[in-house]
Amino acid sequence: MEFSRLYENLSKWFPSPSECAGAYDIPVIAPTSEPDVTEWIPFNDLSKPFKATQGIHMFVDDYRMKRLWAQPDRYLAILELAGCVASPDFSIYQDTPEALNIYCHYMKHWLAAYWQSYGIKVIPTICWGSEKTFSWCFDGEPTNAPVIVSSVGTQKNPESKKAFLDGYNAMVERLSPTVILLCGEKPKECTGNIVKIAPFYDSIVRRRKNVSV
């Protein structure tokens, strides 16, 4: 084994050229069917085991997901309990160096493909930054398959809303998703077969209301 393969989890799985896409060798996520789950919960609280009726989304703070990258094997048995798992939503920012954004995209895809190799059903999380990320942010994503996106925090500011819609429309054009699972507010401009899922903060608001009653 080459010395370089001891780093960045490559000793666990080194994707072949046929398993990668784009100029940056992004591991490919295989397409899957529409998830058959009754609720979506965040990868946030590991105090209770996940259930086959649950889908796990990754719209949480980056530091909560970094442990998946730091110790990928530790969480396999936990994730296998769920009906499906979204690929990590490592943040891609408009004002972040491009190299760091590409690295976040790579980590997301390496983990998703690694999970799929263990039989975990993975729904690709699609994320983007500025328009210049469109040249690589869809690399490795499946076409004609379900995807999941989040509009949380993008709809109050006109510039952030435009950036979301630009990326959303580029995603629809490039990937032709069969189902778009949407966490957060649905902009009226969005097209496609959209299924809304409740963001995590909705459950917090409900719990607070129940306590105050």
Coordinates of all heavy atoms in Angstrom, one line a residue, residues 70-110:
A70 N -14.1 11.3 11.0 CA -13.0 11.0 11.9 C -13.0 9.5 12.2 O -11.9 8.9 12.3 CB -13.0 11.8 13.1
Q71 N -14.2 8.9 12.4 CA -14.3 7.5 12.8 C -15.4 6.8 12.0 O -16.5 6.5 12.6 CB -14.5 7.4 14.3 CG -13.4 7.9 15.2 CD -13.7 7.8 16.7 OE1 -14.6 8.5 17.2 NE2 -13.0 6.9 17.4
P72 N -15.2 6.6 10.7 CA -16.4 6.1 9.9 C -16.9 4.8 10.3 O -18.1 4.5 10.3 CB -15.8 6.1 8.5 CG -14.3 6.1 8.7 CD -14.0 6.8 9.9
D73 N -16.0 3.9 10.8 CA -16.5 2.5 11.1 C -17.3 2.5 12.4 O -18.1 1.6 12.6 CB -15.3 1.6 11.3 CG -14.6 1.3 9.9 OD1 -15.3 1.5 8.9 OD2 -13.4 0.9 9.9
R74 N -17.0 3.5 13.3 CA -17.7 3.5 14.6 C -19.2 3.6 14.4 O -20.0 3.1 15.3 CB -17.2 4.6 15.4 CG -17.8 4.8 16.8 CD -17.2 5.9 17.6 NE -17.9 6.0 18.9 CZ -17.6 7.0 19.8 NH1 -16.6 7.9 19.5 NH2 -18.2 7.1 20.9
Y75 N -19.7 4.3 13.4 CA -21.1 4.6 13.3 C -21.9 3.8 12.3 O -23.1 4.0 12.0 CB -21.2 6.1 12.9 CG -20.7 7.0 13.9 CD1 -19.4 7.5 13.9 CD2 -21.5 7.4 15.0 CE1 -18.9 8.3 14.9 CE2 -21.0 8.2 16.0 CZ -19.7 8.7 16.0 OH -19.2 9.4 17.0
L76 N -21.2 2.8 11.7 CA -21.9 2.0 10.7 C -23.0 1.2 11.3 O -24.1 1.2 10.7 CB -20.9 0.9 10.1 CG -19.8 1.5 9.1 CD1 -18.8 0.4 8.8 CD2 -20.5 2.0 7.8
A77 N -22.8 0.6 12.4 CA -23.9 -0.2 13.0 C -25.1 0.7 13.5 O -26.2 0.2 13.4 CB -23.4 -1.0 14.2
I78 N -24.8 1.9 13.8 CA -25.8 2.8 14.2 C -26.7 3.3 13.0 O -27.9 3.3 13.1 CB -25.2 4.1 14.9 CG1 -24.5 3.7 16.2 CG2 -26.3 5.1 15.2 CD1 -23.7 4.8 16.8
L79 N -26.0 3.6 11.9 CA -26.7 4.0 10.7 C -27.5 2.9 10.1 O -28.5 3.1 9.4 CB -25.7 4.7 9.8 CG -24.9 5.9 10.3 CD1 -24.0 6.4 9.2 CD2 -25.9 7.0 10.6
E80 N -27.0 1.7 10.2 CA -27.6 0.5 9.5 C -29.0 0.3 10.1 O -29.9 -0.3 9.4 CB -26.8 -0.7 9.7 CG -25.5 -0.7 8.8 CD -24.6 -1.9 9.1 OE1 -24.7 -2.4 10.3 OE2 -23.9 -2.3 8.2
L81 N -29.3 0.8 11.3 CA -30.6 0.6 11.9 C -31.7 1.4 11.2 O -32.9 1.1 11.3 CB -30.6 0.9 13.4 CG -29.6 0.1 14.3 CD1 -29.6 0.6 15.7 CD2 -30.1 -1.4 14.3
A82 N -31.4 2.5 10.6 CA -32.3 3.4 10.0 C -32.8 2.9 8.6 O -32.1 2.1 8.0 CB -31.7 4.8 9.8
G83 N -34.0 3.4 8.2 CA -34.5 3.0 6.9 C -33.7 3.6 5.8 O -33.5 3.0 4.7
C84 N -33.1 4.8 6.0 CA -32.2 5.4 5.0 C -31.4 6.5 5.7 O -31.8 7.0 6.8 CB -33.0 5.9 3.8 SG -34.1 7.3 4.1
V85 N -30.4 6.9 5.1 CA -29.5 8.0 5.6 C -29.1 9.0 4.5 O -28.8 8.5 3.4 CB -28.2 7.4 6.2 CG1 -27.3 8.5 6.8 CG2 -28.5 6.3 7.3
A86 N -29.3 10.2 4.8 CA -28.8 11.3 3.8 C -27.3 11.4 3.9 O -26.7 11.2 5.0 CB -29.5 12.6 4.1
S87 N -26.7 11.7 2.8 CA -25.3 12.0 2.8 C -25.0 13.3 3.6 O -25.9 14.1 3.7 CB -24.7 12.1 1.4 OG -25.4 13.1 0.7
P88 N -23.8 13.4 4.2 CA -23.6 14.5 5.1 C -23.7 15.9 4.4 O -23.3 16.0 3.2 CB -22.1 14.3 5.6 CG -21.9 12.8 5.5 CD -22.7 12.4 4.3
D89 N -24.1 16.9 5.1 CA -24.3 18.2 4.5 C -23.1 19.1 5.0 O -23.3 20.1 5.7 CB -25.6 18.8 5.0 CG -25.9 20.2 4.4 OD1 -25.6 20.4 3.2 OD2 -26.4 21.1 5.1
F90 N -21.9 18.7 4.7 CA -20.8 19.5 5.1 C -20.9 20.9 4.3 O -21.1 20.9 3.1 CB -19.5 18.9 4.7 CG -19.2 17.6 5.5 CD1 -19.0 16.4 4.9 CD2 -19.0 17.7 6.9 CE1 -18.7 15.3 5.7 CE2 -18.7 16.6 7.7 CZ -18.6 15.4 7.1
S91 N -20.8 21.9 5.0 CA -21.1 23.3 4.5 C -20.2 23.7 3.3 O -19.0 23.5 3.4 CB -21.0 24.3 5.6 OG -21.9 24.0 6.6
I92 N -20.9 24.2 2.3 CA -20.2 24.8 1.2 C -20.6 26.3 1.2 O -21.8 26.6 1.1 CB -20.6 24.2 -0.2 CG1 -20.1 22.7 -0.2 CG2 -20.0 25.0 -1.3 CD1 -20.5 22.0 -1.5
Y93 N -19.6 27.2 1.4 CA -19.9 28.6 1.5 C -19.4 29.4 0.3 O -18.5 29.0 -0.4 CB -19.2 29.2 2.7 CG -19.7 28.6 4.0 CD1 -18.9 27.8 4.8 CD2 -21.0 28.9 4.5 CE1 -19.4 27.2 6.0 CE2 -21.5 28.4 5.7 CZ -20.6 27.5 6.5 OH -21.1 27.0 7.7
Q94 N -20.1 30.5 0.1 CA -19.7 31.4 -1.1 C -18.4 32.1 -0.8 O -17.7 32.5 -1.7 CB -20.8 32.4 -1.4 CG -22.1 31.8 -1.8 CD -23.1 32.8 -2.5 OE1 -22.7 33.7 -3.1 NE2 -24.4 32.6 -2.2
D95 N -18.1 32.4 0.5 CA -16.9 33.1 0.8 C -15.8 32.3 1.4 O -14.9 32.8 2.0 CB -17.3 34.3 1.8 CG -17.9 33.7 3.1 OD1 -18.2 32.5 3.1 OD2 -18.1 34.5 4.0
T96 N -15.9 31.0 1.1 CA -14.8 30.0 1.6 C -13.9 29.7 0.4 O -14.4 29.6 -0.7 CB -15.5 28.8 2.1 OG1 -16.3 29.1 3.3 CG2 -14.5 27.7 2.6
P97 N -12.6 29.5 0.7 CA -11.7 29.1 -0.4 C -12.2 27.8 -1.1 O -12.7 26.9 -0.5 CB -10.4 28.8 0.4 CG -10.4 29.7 1.5 CD -11.9 29.7 2.0
E98 N -12.1 27.8 -2.4 CA -12.7 26.8 -3.2 C -12.2 25.4 -2.8 O -12.9 24.4 -2.8 CB -12.4 27.0 -4.7 CG -13.3 26.3 -5.6 CD -14.7 26.9 -5.7 OE1 -15.1 27.7 -4.9 OE2 -15.5 26.5 -6.7
A99 N -10.9 25.4 -2.5 CA -10.3 24.1 -2.1 C -11.0 23.4 -0.9 O -11.2 22.2 -0.8 CB -8.8 24.3 -1.8
L100 N -11.4 24.3 0.1 CA -12.1 23.7 1.3 C -13.5 23.3 0.9 O -13.9 22.2 1.4 CB -12.1 24.8 2.4 CG -10.8 25.2 3.0 CD1 -11.0 26.3 4.0 CD2 -10.1 24.0 3.6
N101 N -14.1 24.0 0.0 CA -15.5 23.6 -0.4 C -15.4 22.2 -1.1 O -16.2 21.3 -0.9 CB -16.1 24.6 -1.3 CG -16.6 25.8 -0.5 OD1 -16.9 25.7 0.6 ND2 -16.7 27.0 -1.2
I102 N -14.4 22.1 -2.0 CA -14.3 20.8 -2.7 C -14.0 19.7 -1.8 O -14.5 18.5 -1.9 CB -13.2 20.9 -3.8 CG1 -13.6 21.9 -4.9 CG2 -12.9 19.6 -4.5 CD1 -12.5 22.4 -5.8
Y103 N -13.2 19.9 -0.8 CA -12.8 18.9 0.3 C -14.1 18.5 1.0 O -14.3 17.3 1.2 CB -11.8 19.5 1.2 CG -11.4 18.6 2.4 CD1 -10.9 17.3 2.1 CD2 -11.6 18.9 3.7 CE1 -10.5 16.5 3.1 CE2 -11.2 18.1 4.7 CZ -10.7 16.9 4.4 OH -10.3 16.0 5.5
C104 N -15.0 19.4 1.3 CA -16.3 19.1 2.0 C -17.1 18.2 1.1 O -17.8 17.3 1.5 CB -17.0 20.4 2.3 SG -16.3 21.3 3.8
H105 N -17.1 18.5 -0.2 CA -17.9 17.7 -1.2 C -17.3 16.3 -1.3 O -18.0 15.3 -1.3 CB -17.8 18.4 -2.6 CG -18.7 17.8 -3.6 ND1 -20.1 17.7 -3.5 CD2 -18.4 17.2 -4.8 CE1 -20.6 17.1 -4.6 NE2 -19.5 16.7 -5.4
Y106 N -16.0 16.2 -1.2 CA -15.3 14.9 -1.3 C -15.6 14.1 -0.1 O -16.0 12.9 -0.2 CB -13.8 15.1 -1.4 CG -13.1 13.8 -1.4 CD1 -12.8 13.1 -2.6 CD2 -12.6 13.1 -0.2 CE1 -12.2 11.9 -2.6 CE2 -12.0 11.9 -0.3 CZ -11.8 11.3 -1.5 OH -11.2 10.0 -1.5
M107 N -15.5 14.7 1.1 CA -15.9 13.9 2.4 C -17.3 13.4 2.3 O -17.5 12.3 2.7 CB -15.7 14.8 3.6 CG -14.2 15.1 3.9 SD -14.1 15.9 5.6 CE -14.9 17.5 5.3
K108 N -18.2 14.3 1.9 CA -19.6 13.8 1.8 C -19.7 12.6 0.9 O -20.4 11.6 1.3 CB -20.4 15.0 1.2 CG -21.9 14.6 0.9 CD -22.7 15.8 0.4 CE -22.4 16.1 -1.1 NZ -23.3 17.0 -1.6
H109 N -19.1 12.6 -0.2 CA -19.3 11.5 -1.2 C -18.5 10.3 -0.7 O -19.0 9.2 -1.0 CB -18.9 12.0 -2.6 CG -20.0 12.7 -3.3 ND1 -20.7 12.1 -4.3 CD2 -20.5 13.9 -3.1 CE1 -21.6 12.9 -4.7 NE2 -21.5 14.1 -4.0
W110 N -17.3 10.5 -0.1 CA -16.6 9.3 0.3 C -17.4 8.5 1.4 O -17.6 7.3 1.3 CB -15.2 9.7 0.9 CG -14.4 8.5 1.2 CD1 -13.4 8.0 0.4 CD2 -14.4 7.7 2.4 NE1 -12.8 6.9 1.1 CE2 -13.4 6.7 2.3 CE3 -15.2 7.7 3.6 CZ2 -13.2 5.7 3.2 CZ3 -15.0 6.7 4.5 CH2 -14.0 5.8 4.4

